[in-house]
Amino acid sequence: MGQRIDVNNLNIYYGSFLAVEDVNINIDANKVTAFIGPSGCGKSTVLRTLDRMHEIVPGAHCTGEVLLEGVNLYAPDVDPVAVRRDVGMVFQRPNPFPTMSIRENVLAGVRLNNKKISKSDADDLVEWALRGANLWNEVKDRLDNPGVGLSGGQQQRLCIARAVAVHPSVLLMDEPCSALDPISTLAVEDLINELKKDYTIVIVTHNMQQAARIADYTAFFNLKAVGQPGHLEYFADTTTMFNNPQNEEAERYVSGRFG
Ligand SMILES: Nc1ncnc2c1ncn2[C@@H]1O[C@H](COP(=O)(O)OP(=O)(O)OP(=O)(O)O)[C@@H](O)[C@H]1O
Ligand SMILES: [Mg+2]
């Protein structure tokens, strides 16, 4: 099952630069929440604090709380590596490991976690994850071929299979369709819609139609001015965000009259 995320008073820094200011948001379990907003407003930065990837950048840190099912990911006794296992991330460009086969790509996260796994358990896991990513039928006869030999859309679904293979409770996706053609995009959107049965999903997108199609809730991030920190301007269920937003900036943004 997916887990809920509650973000309280989150301030996110790169060194001394405050990139995103005072974010408060509640992200429902087993729903799709979209992050939208102009470039540089901090969507990716906020997303990366939800699995403690942000702090991998030297000097980057944050204050405030991110609660995963009530447990603060930033409590001193929490191991960031364990967090990244619980919370899967899919990136903008599909990034299968170049030297690995399709099969080994799916298993890469599991192997990183140093889990010993028998051949038959591995076979079952590969099939389960690839079915879950809606890719099994396309690749089942060539599992030992290189992952990078797949089309862009197939590679992105392979990366989703790799992320779900470690059984995360949350899937974070940063513009997962921006490098894909329209047909692959729809395949990934269908998949996201199915995955929310099992996962809590947060997706960053610049595509308003995509947010309207797949998100249950939408968070609009904004910038007061260049050089100022980004902030969460308005949060609403997706129907309200796109049809009747109670925020002027959000209304201008979703109707394409921004800037
Ligand atoms: N590694 C980094 N080091 C320093 N500053 C960074 C770093 N990454 C992002 N920033 C800054 O943090 C702010 C938010 O950037 P972020 O990438 O989160 O925006 P975004 O909303 O995802 O934009 P886009 O839509 O272009 O992807 C920007 O001012 C950006 O320049
Ligand atoms: Mg970004």
Side-chain angles (χ1 to χ4, degrees):
M1 283 301 281
Q3 299 193 314
R4 65 175 284 115
I5 306 169
D6 298 292
V7 175
N8 299 323
N9 308 114
L10 186 67
N11 288 288
I12 315 175
Y13 297 83
Y14 292 98
S16 60
F17 173 60
L18 176 60
V20 188
E21 188 169 43
D22 198 27
V23 176
N24 291 278
I25 186 172
N26 304 312
I27 296 171
D28 256 9
N30 297 99
K31 300 279 191 239
V32 177
T33 298
F35 286 2
I36 63 170
S39 187
C41 67
K43 303 175 297 295
S44 299
T45 298
V46 173
L47 196 74
R48 288 194 299 262
T49 59
L50 305 183
D51 72 346
R52 294 195 60 169
M53 292 266 282
H54 174 66
E55 65 207 73
I56 289 172
V57 177
H61 63 286
C62 63
T63 62
E65 287 184 336
V66 177
L67 306 177
L68 185 62
E69 212 57 45
V71 176
N72 185 9
L73 300 186
Y74 289 90
D77 57 338
V78 170
D79 174 7
V81 177
V83 172
R84 290 171 209 138
R85 191 184 313 140
D86 254 15
V87 180
M89 177 77 92
V90 175
F91 299 91
Q92 184 167 8
R93 304 225 151 247
N95 57 348
F97 295 119
T99 59
M100 289 184 196
S101 65
I102 294 168
R103 177 189 152 83
E104 284 307 314
N105 261 287
V106 176
L107 294 171
V110 182
R111 301 228 194 274
L112 265 172
N113 291 342
N114 288 320
K115 277 224 198 106
K116 283 264 173 280
I117 174 166
S118 71
K119 165 89 169 65
S120 74
D121 284 352
D123 288 345
D124 289 348
L125 180 63
V126 167
E127 178 169 348
W128 174 84
L130 288 170
R131 281 192 190 282
N134 215 354
L135 186 60
W136 174 249
N137 285 332
E138 289 158 70
V139 301
K140 62 177 190 287
D141 300 322
R142 48 171 167 153
L143 294 175
D144 293 319
N145 291 7
V148 288
L150 299 172
S151 76
Q154 290 171 330
Q155 288 185 26
Q156 195 57 299
R157 283 178 283 148
L158 177 62
C159 293
I160 293 170
R162 181 175 70 194
V164 302
V166 298
H167 299 288
S169 49
V170 175
L171 269 184
L172 308 176
M173 302 180 155
D174 197 348
E175 302 189 49
C177 299
S178 63
L180 305 185
D181 67 85
I183 291 175
S184 302
T185 295
L186 287 178
V188 170
E189 287 181 8
D190 281 348
L191 173 59
I192 290 169
N193 201 33
E194 283 172 36
L195 290 173
K196 76 178 182 185
K197 288 200 302 283
D198 300 310
Y199 308 94
T200 301
I201 297 176
V202 185
I203 177 173
V204 176
T205 181
H206 277 284
N207 181 330
M208 296 299 121
Q209 286 79 18
Q210 175 164 74
R213 279 194 299 263
I214 63 172
D216 299 289
Y217 297 98
T218 300
F220 171 60
F221 290 85
N222 201 2
L223 268 178
K224 289 189 193 89
V226 177
Q228 294 283 308
H231 63 279
L232 175 60
E233 173 95 31
Y234 182 59
F235 177 80
D237 66 84
T238 298
T239 311
T240 303
M241 178 66 79
F242 288 98
N243 296 331
N244 187 25
Q246 304 299 305
N247 175 287
E248 214 171 296
E249 295 275 295
E251 205 275 323
R252 291 201 307 135
Y253 188 77
V254 301
S255 63
R257 287 184 285 115
F258 197 82

